Structure formats: C-alpha cells, structure tokens
Amino acid sequence: RPDGELPLKGLAVLVTAGPTQEPLDPVRFLTNHSTGKMGYALAEQARDLGAQVTLASGPVALDAPYGVDVVDVTTARDMFDVVTSRFSDTDITVMAAAVGDFRPVGRSGIELELTSNPDILAWAGEHKRPDQTLCGFAMETRDLEANATKKLNGKHCDMLVANNLRTPGAGFAADTNVVTVLTPGETADRPSIERWSKMGKDALAKRILVKLAAMRADGERR
Ligand code: CTP
C-alpha cells in the first residue's frame, strides 16, 4: 500500500461493545461487568485507520466517539437486530460485546425462568461472504487455547481474540489486556496462535485491526 494511505480506508467496520441488559421487570435486569472499553477502543482506532465505523453499544458510561455511528441497544435481541440489518454492508465485523446468553421469560414464585438469546457471532459466521472478515472475542477461565480454537472454528471466525479472566491486567474494567490471538491454520485443530504481551486497550485495538487489514490484503480468509 502506498505510504500514508490508511489500512482501513474505504472499508465499513461494525463493532459490538459493552454489556447487554435483559429486563426482569420494569425496574430490574440481568447484566454483566463489561465496561465497553475494548469495543470503544476498537471503534476509535478503526475510525483513525480510515474506516466508516458503526458501533452497536450496550449500556455503558463512555462518551460516544466522534465520527462513529453509535447505535445504542439494551438487550441481546436489540444488538442482534442491529447486526443482522447492517451485516451485508460491512467489510470487517469485530464482536467485543459481552452478550448475555440468557434472558428472563417468566417467574413462578421465586423461580426465574430463562431462555437463550441469539448468538450474534454465530449468526454472522453462518452468513459471512468470502469477502467479509469476522473477528470474535472470548473470555475463558480455563483451557483457553482449546476453548478458543472451538470458538474460532465453530463460529467461522477469521480471528478470535481470547483472554484469560484470571490473568492480572486482563478483563473488563482494566485499561490493559493480555490476549492470545487465533487465526485459521493449516488444519482446523491446529490454528495459528500468537500470544501477545500486556498492552493498553488502544494499542491492542490498533494491532488487531492492522492484522485484520493485513489478512485481507494477503487474501487470507477461511
Ligand atoms: N457473542 C455473541 N452473541 C452471544 C454470545 C456471545 O455475539 N449471544 C459473541 C461475543 O461478542 C464474543 C464471542 O461471541 O465475540 C464469545 O463470547 P463468549 O461469551 O466467550 O462465548 P459463548 O458463546 O457465550 O461461549 P461460552 O459461554 O460457552 O464460553
């Protein structure tokens, strides 16, 4: 690429970020500890690398980044609707949201009845065209590489960024992250695995996006 040209210039990037909230009644909800920092860093870095960025954001305490089309959502189903309606116009999709796997459907006495939410990343993997690039995240507490390999393959991702919740400097509230990055390898059970050292979420976001852009330029897709 010519010097000075931005690696994501002319590309549409869709990022999911933050937690989802699943209402239990008019005043209570189920949610998680996601702060949205990683997803917002991805959206800002993608913008700075030249992309047109859409950010599907669950409820977070962060300011909307300038120059990014922010679509606020509450539930997993809201986020699913945003992604499914925009996906075909997207070149690179990065799913950093901590989507609630379940939502309440009813209560009997003190028992709460739950049902499964749609898996947005799995949907995108199923509907992805060969010219589209898909990156998922995974938070693991054990067997990180084995579980992340299953997610990379099972959800048809071009990249999976995994972090261990038990590693110091990784996880939701931190400004840093320590990740293992998986991309498809020679065979499905042997993905290419890179272990990146601890870095700030902005630097990590940029490195992920530059790697995705390089993979597209090399025609490396699954
Ligand atoms: N994800 C999603 N929709 C869901 C659940 C997860 O899009 N309903 C995405 C997340 O944004 C993330 C990836 O899937 O990119 C992995 O999320 P994670 O919660 O680690 O995976 P699960 O599929 O829930 O697997 P498990 O709970 O078995 O680890």
Side-chain angles (χ1 to χ4, degrees):
R1 110 187 111 79
D3 277 350
E5 199 175 296
L6 296 166
L8 298 181
K9 196 172 174 193
L11 297 179
V13 172
L14 173 63
V15 178
T16 69
T20 56
Q21 283 180 359
E22 306 296 336
L24 195 54
D25 60 33
V27 293
R28 299 176 184 84
F29 50 80
L30 299 184
T31 190
N32 58 64
H33 288 295
S34 173
T35 58
K37 281 180 187 171
M38 192 64 237
Y40 274 58
L42 284 157
E44 290 171 349
Q45 294 296 320
R47 172 201 66 203
D48 291 349
L49 293 170
Q52 279 290 107
V53 184
T54 302
L55 176 60
S57 176
V60 296
L62 303 172
D63 290 333
Y66 72 85
V68 168
D69 178 16
V70 182
V71 185
D72 289 313
V73 301
T74 305
T75 66
R77 284 180 298 170
D78 295 341
M79 193 173 273
F80 181 77
D81 290 345
V82 173
V83 171
T84 55
S85 70
R86 300 188 180 227
F87 187 66
S88 67
D89 296 326
T90 299
D91 299 298
I92 298 177
T93 303
V94 186
M95 299 213 183
V99 182
D101 288 323
F102 307 104
R103 67 177 181 275
V105 277
R107 268 161 89 167
S108 48
I110 60 164
E111 304 243 341
L112 189 57
E113 197 187 328
L114 303 176
T115 192
S116 291
N117 274 328
D119 187 327
I120 307 168
L121 181 60
W123 181 92
E126 277 163 30
H127 290 82
K128 184 168 97 68
R129 298 185 309 263
D131 64 296
Q132 289 178 300
T133 304
L134 181 62
C135 174
F137 272 71
M139 298 219 274
E140 307 293 347
T141 47
R142 50 197 286 268
D143 299 330
L144 178 124
E145 286 176 14
N147 288 329
T149 299
K150 275 187 213 148
K151 275 178 203 172
L152 176 79
N153 294 325
K155 300 190 188 189
H156 307 284
C157 294
D158 300 287
M159 184 185 294
L160 195 100
V161 180
N163 62 164
N164 187 331
L165 280 179
R166 299 190 198 279
T167 302
F172 283 137
D175 288 316
T176 56
N177 212 340
V178 186
V179 302
T180 299
V181 176
L182 291 86
T183 51
E186 294 291 305
T187 59
D189 59 334
R190 300 198 64 180
S192 153
I193 298 181
E194 293 178 12
R195 296 168 196 92
W196 293 359
S197 50
K198 182 160 104 177
M199 67 186 103
K201 285 183 176 174
D202 292 335
L204 174 60
K206 183 170 181 179
R207 191 161 168 192
I208 290 167
L209 292 161
V210 167
K211 185 172 169 72
L212 289 169
M215 287 171 68
R216 288 177 64 88
D218 293 347
E220 259 181 60
R221 301 201 187 98
R222 51 167 63 239

